[in-house]
Amino acid sequence: MALFYTVSKRPIFLNPTTTLRFCSASSQPPSDNETAVATAVSVLKHHRSKSRWTHLRTLFPSGFDPSQFSQITIQLRNNPHLALRFFLFSIQHSLCHHSLLSYATIIHTLARSRQKSHALALIKSALRKFPDANTDSPLRTPPLIFETLITTYRTCDSAPFVFDLLIKACLQSKRINQAIEIVRMLRTKGISPMISTCNSLIMSVSKHHGSIAGYEVCNELLGSTRKFGDQKLGVKIVVPNVHTYNIIMHSFYKDGLIENLEQVWSDMIVNDCLPSAYSHNILMAAYCDNGRMEEAMRMWEEMRNKGLKHDAMAYNTIIGGLCEAGEVDKAEEFFKEMGLDGEESTCVTYEHLITGYCKIGDVDSAMLLYKDMCRKEFTPLGSTIDVLIKELCEKNKVSEALKVSRFAMKRNNVVMKGESYELLIKGLCNEGRMDEGMKLQAEMVGRGYEPNSGIYSAFINGYEKEGNKEQAAKLKMEFQSIK
């Protein structure tokens, strides 16, 4: 295991048995290995770009071993683009059977020069090329490349940024547990990733393992004076920023844990971290979802008092909350204010208002908004179309409901629910439009919805109403046979 100490804030790793050897300053003649390395470096540095590669293949037809490649790359570390071209050339022409050592060297070379995308790509390649011994069980040990990066860190004159890239590569490769273990091991050596890397890790853990797990990782990485359910002291190595708190708050919001969300908000205030507009939007959305409109309005006013601009998300949140509470007139006021404030309404804005008007039975206002929505070429959700069809059918406006469904399916490829088909079929049968009802029922079956007792009853009643007792009797027998 490597030893660790710090000089000038740069971590230094000491390995008792390094695998990289360089030319000695003694009077001993250079070895064949040292000569080969020196020759290759000279060709790469001093030959013209078009001739250097041909010259290398001529001089070294058997290529290089990983140790030689690493020594050459280290001498090219001030020219990372050339080092990368050498690495790619060696792969293309099979001039080196690369190992963890050679990969670590080129990764360090690129990372120290902030060649982020190239270094990240090579780390991900190393993760695939050198798989862990036990890939069947959850990965709870760092990947093999991690230890090699540590042992070659000082020799390559690297920077801590390389470990941020390794963590990000693990996250992008869905190796979340390994990313956590890397952070833990780095912390035992006295270093922590950048706050942006910590935030990415917290977000990934929250997404895949839930908000509580994400919060616990946040507590472990950044330290906290509070932990849900008890008090816990910690050490803040990296200071959380507003984005950190927003990640945790949003995760708690998605899981419906509003009390935990409120606690994180309080922690943010206590730690002198100013909530952003997005922070306010999350808490306001939680209040709206729980019908706590007074508190949601308090957050709205707090944003105004702090000079935070109400963006489209804020307007949509408060409009949606008011519509859900049945306060559609007040929601309309915010809708008008939104335009005056210079914020463009979105598809979500219209969907909230259409649903709100349908909820209070004002289908005419809902239709006006729907037509305006279509003129602006917004694509409504299927749920919005279902709500509109339901209210139109209940108001005996079947033809209008049918037009809405046809337009939505043709233009926006919206698929209606089975309940919407049932409402339309019942409305058509009630108006004696049996042929249209039959065509719609065939379409319904084609969409994978089976006719139920309600649809059979609608057709039976419709045929009986028009005097077609024979067809009604057939349907009764058919329904009895499939019950």
Side-chain angles (χ1 to χ4, degrees), residues 12 48 52-53 79 81 140 171 177 233 249 251 289 315 341 405 431 443 449 464 478:
I12 305 295
R48 292 187 305 172
R52 65 165 66 104
W53 308 112
N79 191 341
H81 296 288
R140 296 194 177 278
L171 294 178
N177 290 331
L233 293 176
M249 287 174 61
S251 182
D289 290 352
Y315 275 105
D341 201 21
S405 68
E431 293 182 0
E443 179 186 307
Y449 300 116
E464 287 180 342
E478 182 180 321

Side-chain angles (χ1 to χ4, degrees), residues 10-31:
R10 169 168 290 195
I12 305 295
F13 299 95
L14 295 178
N15 188 32
T17 56
T18 181
T19 54
L20 302 181
R21 297 186 302 275
F22 297 94
C23 298
S24 172
S26 68
S27 58
Q28 294 180 354
S31 66

Side-chain angles (χ1 to χ4, degrees), residues 134-293:
N134 187 3
T135 56
D136 296 329
S137 62
L139 301 173
R140 296 194 177 278
T141 56
L144 297 176
I145 190 67
F146 174 64
E147 187 64 30
T148 310
L149 287 172
I150 287 178
T151 57
T152 55
Y153 184 92
R154 185 186 185 189
T155 307
C156 295
D157 190 27
S158 193
F161 179 65
V162 70
F163 298 111
D164 288 272
L165 292 178
L166 176 59
I167 294 165
K168 289 180 180 180
C170 286
L171 294 178
Q172 291 178 14
S173 303
K174 302 297 186 292
R175 297 166 173 253
I176 298 171
N177 290 331
Q178 286 193 317
I180 295 172
E181 289 304 314
I182 290 170
V183 175
R184 286 171 177 162
M185 292 190 71
L186 287 174
R187 291 187 69 199
T188 64
K189 300 177 182 299
I191 57 176
S192 288
M194 297 184 298
I195 185 60
S196 60
T197 304
C198 292
N199 287 341
S200 296
L201 179 56
I202 294 165
M203 184 181 292
S204 293
V205 173
S206 299
K207 180 180 177 181
H208 292 91
H209 301 302
S211 55
I212 296 296
Y215 179 78
E216 288 176 348
V217 167
C218 177
N219 238 12
E220 180 180 350
L221 294 185
L222 308 179
S224 175
T225 57
R226 189 190 303 268
K227 186 174 182 180
F228 294 124
D230 62 347
Q231 297 289 320
K232 179 182 178 180
L233 293 176
V235 179
K236 290 188 177 181
I237 298 176
V238 179
V239 179
N241 58 19
V242 66
H243 186 48
T244 314
Y245 289 108
N246 286 344
I247 291 169
I248 297 297
M249 287 174 61
H250 185 259
S251 182
F252 280 138
Y253 168 70
K254 285 173 60 180
D255 287 351
L257 301 175
I258 188 169
E259 290 183 2
N260 291 359
L261 192 162
E262 289 177 311
Q263 186 60 70
V264 175
W265 174 275
S266 299
D267 290 346
M268 181 162 37
I269 303 301
V270 168
N271 292 323
D272 296 324
C273 182
L274 293 177
S276 64
Y278 184 67
S279 312
H280 287 78
N281 286 339
I282 297 171
L283 190 53
M284 187 162 59
Y287 288 144
C288 287
D289 290 352
N290 285 270
R292 296 162 60 176
M293 291 310 299

Side-chain angles (χ1 to χ4, degrees), residues 10 38 77 81 150 152 179 200 217 229 248 318 387 395 404 423 425 441:
R10 169 168 290 195
R77 62 178 176 268
H81 296 288
I150 287 178
T152 55
S200 296
V217 167
I248 297 297
I318 204 70
V387 168
K395 293 292 189 294
V404 169
L423 287 168
I425 290 169
Q441 189 268 336

Side-chain angles (χ1 to χ4, degrees), residues 41-166:
V41 170
S42 178
V43 169
L44 288 165
K45 283 185 174 181
H46 303 301
H47 278 244
R48 292 187 305 172
S49 59
K50 291 184 178 180
S51 65
R52 65 165 66 104
W53 308 112
T54 303
H55 204 50
L56 271 181
R57 293 183 68 185
T58 302
L59 289 174
F60 304 99
S62 300
F64 309 92
D65 62 38
S67 179
Q68 289 175 322
F69 174 88
S70 296
Q71 294 173 60
I72 295 167
T73 301
I74 286 173
Q75 295 191 50
L76 298 175
R77 62 178 176 268
N78 292 327
N79 191 341
H81 296 288
L82 179 59
L84 178 61
R85 289 180 65 191
F86 175 49
F87 176 77
L88 297 175
F89 177 79
S90 69
I91 291 177
Q92 182 182 357
H93 297 285
S94 302
L95 293 181
C96 182
H97 184 66
H98 288 286
S99 66
L100 285 165
L101 171 64
S102 54
Y103 262 89
T105 308
I106 185 63
I107 289 167
H108 279 309
T109 299
L110 295 171
R112 71 190 292 274
S113 301
R114 295 284 167 167
Q115 300 292 317
K116 177 181 176 180
S117 59
H118 294 308
L120 190 62
L122 289 185
I123 293 173
K124 291 163 79 170
S125 176
L127 291 174
R128 293 189 299 269
K129 186 177 177 66
F130 307 103
D132 300 275
N134 187 3
T135 56
D136 296 329
S137 62
L139 301 173
R140 296 194 177 278
T141 56
L144 297 176
I145 190 67
F146 174 64
E147 187 64 30
T148 310
L149 287 172
I150 287 178
T151 57
T152 55
Y153 184 92
R154 185 186 185 189
T155 307
C156 295
D157 190 27
S158 193
F161 179 65
V162 70
F163 298 111
D164 288 272
L165 292 178
L166 176 59

